[in-house]
Amino acid sequence: MNKRQALVAAALAGVCAANASASGQMDLPKGDQEKCYGVAKAGQNDCGTGLHGCAGQAAVDNDPAEWTFVAKGTCEKAGGKATPPKQDKQGK
């Protein structure tokens, strides 16, 4: 491996590490926010679920398993729940 290839490999590794670090922080609310389940619009969820691993992949509006951050104290007013839906014994 020459110096140029090593430099390119190091740059790509840095970009990948930065993305991994940022995605690990996606489900941390700001101080004035809370998770709200069941109010996310299709494609506007804030993080993954058992069906997918990324934000922005909700398939339908108001899916009970999808969540988004909302201002504290507003979740139930918006029709959502602050706790995730219960799963049955098969994980559904």
Side-chain angles (χ1 to χ4, degrees):
M1 181 181 286
N2 65 33
K3 288 182 182 181
R4 181 179 173 154
Q5 289 172 323
L7 183 60
V8 169
L12 288 173
V15 169
C16 290
N19 284 341
S21 176
S23 67
Q25 308 240 341
M26 287 294 293
D27 64 344
L28 297 177
K30 296 177 183 167
D32 59 344
Q33 294 181 327
E34 64 183 347
K35 286 183 183 181
C36 187
Y37 293 85
V39 297
K41 300 298 179 198
Q44 296 181 0
N45 60 305
D46 279 334
C47 205
T49 67
L51 298 176
H52 59 80
C54 295
Q57 292 187 347
V60 296
D61 289 349
N62 305 324
D63 183 331
E66 301 288 356
W67 60 268
T68 190
F69 288 120
V70 298
K72 282 187 178 178
T74 64
C75 182
E76 291 188 14
K77 292 177 189 174
K81 296 187 179 191
T83 57
K86 295 187 181 203
Q87 296 179 347
D88 65 19
K89 292 178 183 178
Q90 296 176 350
K92 296 179 183 177

